Amino acid sequence: MDKTYVYYKGQIVDENIVNPGIRNKAFNYGLGCFEGIRAYWNEEASQLYVFRLYDHYKRLLNSCKVLNINIQYTCQELCDLTVELLKKNNYKTTVYIRPLAYKSSNAISPTLLDNENGLAVYCQPFGRYASKEALDVSVTSWKRVNNNMIPGRTKATAAYLNSALAHLEVCQNGFDEAIFLTGEGNVCEGSGENIFMVRDGKLITPPPSDNILEGITRDTVIKIAKSDFGIDTVERSISRVELYGADELFFTGTAMEVTPIVSVDRRVIGSGKIGTITKMLKEQYMSLASGDCQKHIKYCTPVY
Ligand code: PMP
């Protein structure tokens, strides 16, 4: 098998030599934060394009600030080392990139005070994340962590226990993905994706104040809906029952891309098929993320 290279302790190294110890704080207490980034292989251009690379690292540095993780890299340095890593692995396929910033000390206390911090980046070939083309989902009984408990908007590793519990519950009940409500009962997001509702030709999505992660795909969809199709987005709280009556529903996320939802809690959404607006936005998103759309090429960083 070919070697896989990762970024670890300031260098690009063979993944096999990386072995964080069992005492590591990130492992013991989840004291870390991360990003999920995609790079799309464009066969026609013979190019690998990383989608909104700078914006992902801006979010990571912001998460680091909240968690007191000082990784000593600028946003541009993080972008450059990621491009180097992709080159070194010689990827010519669609890839998922996972940068992780974490507390690297082995001391026993669960504190963010100490100043031993680590950065690791690994990548892997990655196709469709959703289990199928259109999803049957359910509202989970687990509530989304409030930002004053564990700040989910920092993509804190620890917040993904909340996601994993919700996902486990709904999958064991025969659904494909979970929708979280906030503690107050408003619709929040999926276990790893934002949610949009289509109603009377407009997009509606929960605001950041409802404890969502401010998704980069969410932001892209809001922008292209307006610029390319003249569709406005309203950011406002959504109630669970409103979901059932939506014309269309879809998830957005780096891994999930734009994925239609065709039922919620066994209530059929719209016609029960992929909606017209969802389809349009999905196609446009895929085209721009893979570097096919010159108008939006600024979002794509070429690797080769
Ligand atoms: N919410 C959560 C909880 C997530 O984990 C993700 C995936 N990063 C998203 C939303 C979507 O964010 P993005 O579009 O930036 O991938």
Side-chain angles (χ1 to χ4, degrees):
M1 215 173 92
D2 286 348
K3 258 192 205 163
T4 302
Y5 293 96
V6 298
Y7 189 86
Y8 186 65
K9 292 194 174 167
Q11 293 179 63
I12 292 178
V13 293
D14 177 353
E15 183 166 6
N16 289 318
I17 71 156
V18 174
N19 193 8
I22 56 168
R23 291 172 186 256
N24 179 276
K25 239 174 226 197
F27 180 55
N28 281 253
Y29 304 118
L31 302 189
C33 53
F34 66 98
E35 272 304 317
I37 311 171
R38 264 196 202 250
Y40 288 88
W41 176 245
N42 186 314
E43 191 63 52
E44 219 165 280
S46 206
Q47 183 59 269
L48 186 64
Y49 287 115
V50 194
F51 188 62
R52 298 192 66 171
L53 181 59
Y54 197 87
D55 295 322
H56 277 283
Y57 277 123
K58 241 168 84 180
R59 189 169 67 185
L60 183 75
L61 289 177
N62 199 42
S63 303
C64 285
K65 196 178 185 181
V66 177
L67 302 187
N68 200 39
I69 297 173
N70 186 356
I71 55 170
Q72 311 265 4
Y73 291 85
T74 65
C75 209
Q76 193 55 50
E77 284 166 348
L78 291 165
C79 293
D80 294 345
L81 72 85
T82 302
V83 167
E84 276 318 298
L85 180 63
L86 289 164
K87 260 192 208 145
K88 180 80 180 171
N89 279 298
N90 198 27
Y91 285 123
K92 299 213 158 100
T93 183
T94 294
V95 177
Y96 188 81
I97 305 151
R98 165 57 53 79
L100 259 171
Y102 56 97
K103 284 289 171 195
S104 56
S105 135
N106 288 340
I108 200 78
S109 58
T111 176
L112 293 166
L113 261 182
D114 63 56
N115 206 21
E116 289 175 50
N117 307 288
L119 171 77
V121 188
Y122 63 85
C123 337
Q124 66 188 55
F126 199 70
R128 189 173 80 187
Y129 174 72
S131 53
K132 53 194 209 231
E133 209 189 335
L135 304 180
D136 296 289
V137 309
S138 171
V139 172
T140 169
S141 68
W142 297 95
K143 300 291 175 268
R144 187 62 176 148
V145 278
N146 185 293
N147 275 308
N148 288 318
M149 299 169 179
I150 293 175
R153 71 189 305 163
T154 63
K155 266 188 98 58
T157 52
Y160 284 80
L161 173 57
N162 185 223
S163 291
L165 286 168
H167 187 260
L168 175 70
E169 179 187 58
V170 303
C171 290
Q172 286 182 335
N173 288 335
F175 298 97
D176 303 314
E177 180 53 294
I179 295 176
F180 274 116
L181 302 182
T182 63
E184 293 73 37
N186 297 327
V187 171
C188 182
E189 60 185 348
S191 71
E193 48 281 321
N194 294 114
I195 189 165
F196 282 79
M197 175 166 88
V198 179
R199 207 169 147 180
D200 301 326
K202 278 209 183 90
L203 296 179
I204 305 171
T205 194
S209 50
D210 275 341
N211 291 321
I212 62 163
L213 176 76
E214 285 180 273
I216 288 168
T217 320
R218 174 185 181 273
D219 177 68
T220 309
V221 163
I222 292 173
K223 288 193 169 116
I224 60 170
K226 184 69 185 165
S227 66
D228 299 3
F229 303 106
I231 300 173
D232 288 315
T233 303
V234 180
E235 293 181 61
R236 66 151 172 86
S237 296
I238 298 174
S239 74
R240 174 185 190 158
V241 176
E242 253 189 301
L243 291 180
Y244 302 155
D247 299 329
E248 300 178 28
L249 284 178
F250 59 89
F251 281 134
T252 62
T254 298
M256 196 59 105
E257 298 164 322
V258 175
T259 296
I261 297 169
V262 286
S263 79
V264 180
D265 298 336
R266 309 271 180 230
R267 272 76 162 187
V268 173
I269 301 305
S271 64
K273 304 236 163 61
I274 300 171
T276 327
I277 292 181
T278 307
K279 184 164 181 286
M280 218 161 72
L281 291 170
K282 181 182 166 71
E283 284 171 2
Q284 186 67 347
Y285 176 77
M286 292 313 294
S287 150
L288 77 94
S290 47
D292 275 336
C293 190
Q294 279 313 307
K295 182 176 168 191
H296 297 294
I297 201 74
K298 65 175 190 301
Y299 285 138
C300 304
T301 303
V303 169
Y304 299 112

